Amino acid sequence: MGSLTAALASLLAADIGATASRVKRNAALWSVIGLLLVTAYVFALAATFLFLSVRYSPVAAAAAIAGALVVTALVFIAILIALQNRDRRLQEERRRRTQMQTNLTLLAVAGILRKQPLLAVAIALAVGALLGTGKRRGRKHDD
């Protein structure tokens, strides 16, 4: 039995090591990809500035690029606010449904207690038995 445990432990350690190295590799590659994309963005801005400065004055070109970036940021802010509002509405809906289910359950239990008290006691004992047969934490029996 000991050799089986050792073999399983070594397989688990090898699997964790492989997963850790894969995560490190992916993180390094995504960092390089991010750096390249930021560099490309900076050069695209520079190229746009040079193109616009030939047609317009350099001040007007810089102002146009800054304005476009501000408008883009405002659009992203509006999208973020809309998503937050949607998430808040969904959370409130979930909370309302949970409260409604709890209220309906309490009403059903109250009805059962009033009409059939013995059935309610039997259900309580069955639920207690089911919960009692689960794993016990912290208790160890000495054999």
Side-chain angles (χ1 to χ4, degrees):
M1 187 71 167
S3 62
L4 178 62
T5 304
L8 288 176
S10 68
L11 284 174
L12 185 62
D15 188 40
I16 290 172
T19 302
S21 65
R22 188 171 52 247
V23 167
K24 288 178 188 176
R25 180 195 65 218
N26 288 343
L29 287 175
W30 279 111
S31 298
V32 170
I33 290 168
L35 180 65
L36 291 173
L37 287 174
V38 167
T39 305
Y41 176 73
V42 169
F43 276 103
L45 282 177
T48 304
F49 173 76
L50 292 173
F51 175 76
L52 289 176
S53 65
V54 170
R55 293 181 168 243
Y56 307 104
S57 70
V59 174
I65 291 173
L69 291 175
V70 167
V71 168
T72 303
L74 290 175
V75 167
F76 281 134
I77 288 171
I79 290 171
L80 181 66
I81 289 171
L83 289 174
Q84 287 176 344
N85 288 338
R86 185 197 63 161
D87 290 344
R88 188 173 55 247
R89 280 193 313 271
L90 289 174
Q91 186 179 12
E92 289 172 0
E93 178 66 25
R94 274 189 238 116
R95 184 174 44 243
R96 194 170 58 244
R97 282 184 187 164
T98 303
Q99 289 174 348
M100 186 174 58
Q101 287 174 347
T102 302
N103 290 340
L104 289 175
T105 303
L106 290 174
L107 285 173
V109 167
I112 290 174
L113 283 174
R114 242 184 305 124
K115 292 182 181 177
Q116 297 177 350
L118 291 177
L119 179 62
V121 170
I123 290 172
L125 287 174
V127 168
L130 285 174
L131 293 176
T133 58
K135 292 183 179 178
R136 298 185 193 272
R137 296 181 187 167
R139 290 187 180 181
K140 292 185 179 179
H141 298 288
D142 292 344
D143 290 334

